[in-house]
Amino acid sequence: MNEQIELLRQRDQFYARARRSVPAARRFAEWSLSYWGLTDWERSADVLLCVSELATNAVVHGVPPGRGFLLRLCHEAALVRVEVHDSGTGVPAVAHPTLDEGGRGLLLVSALSDKWGVGERSPGKIVWCDFAVAWGRSVT
C-alpha cells in the first residue's frame, strides 16, 4: 500500500550567542526552503535575508550572555513564517534610517515581509515575519 508522506512543515534549530550562528541560521533556512520545494520561489532570497537580520538582532540585542536563540521556520499552505525566539528583554522596533552602519534590520524585515511582529514568551520574546506563497505565480 502506498501512503502519501506529508513533508515536515516546521523546522527548529537552536543557536549559540555567536556571530557564526547568523550564517548557520541562514544555511538552515536555505535547506528548509529547499526541503519544502521553495528553492526557486521568487521570495526565497527575501526569507533568507530576513532570517539573517532577525538572527543578527538576536545575537547583538536579544540574547543575554551565556544563552542562545531558537530559529523556527514554518510552512503552512500559502505561508512561510520565520520566528526567532530569544530570552532577552525589550521590545524591538523599526529604527529610522540614519547614515550609521547597522540599525536597519527591522526596517528590511518590514519592507520585505508581508507582516511582522513581536510576541511574548517567558522569558523573552518571539520576533516573527510572514511571507505569502502565491503558488500560481511565485513557485516554478
Side-chain angles (χ1 to χ4, degrees):
M1 171 186 258
N2 289 336
E3 293 183 28
Q4 185 176 9
I5 299 172
E6 184 175 335
L7 297 177
L8 183 62
R9 298 296 182 188
Q10 179 177 309
R11 314 252 336 133
D12 292 346
Q13 184 67 45
F14 188 80
Y15 295 95
R17 181 184 190 227
R19 293 236 180 235
R20 70 181 181 277
S21 294
V22 175
R26 187 178 175 108
R27 285 189 302 272
F28 176 74
E30 189 172 27
W31 183 89
S32 297
L33 291 174
S34 175
Y35 183 80
W36 294 326
L38 297 174
T39 303
D40 294 328
W41 176 38
E42 66 186 21
R43 298 190 75 191
S44 63
D46 295 343
V47 171
L48 297 177
L49 181 55
C50 288
V51 165
S52 293
E53 293 299 335
L54 294 180
T56 298
N57 285 352
V59 168
V60 174
H61 305 290
V63 180
R67 303 243 176 126
F69 67 94
L70 174 76
L71 171 61
R72 172 170 290 155
L73 300 165
C74 303
H75 175 35
E76 296 286 333
L79 181 78
V80 170
R81 174 170 276 201
V82 175
E83 295 179 0
V84 173
H85 300 231
D86 71 57
S87 56
T89 59
V91 177
V94 174
H96 295 289
T98 65
L99 296 176
D100 296 336
E101 292 268 337
R104 297 185 185 103
L106 287 178
L107 186 61
L108 284 170
V109 170
S110 175
L112 295 174
S113 67
D114 295 312
K115 190 174 172 183
W116 78 279
V118 180
E120 293 181 21
R121 71 177 282 249
S122 183
K125 64 193 164 298
I126 302 166
V127 184
W128 57 268
C129 58
D130 289 342
F131 297 85
V133 178
W135 288 103
R137 296 179 318 220
S138 300
V139 178
T140 56

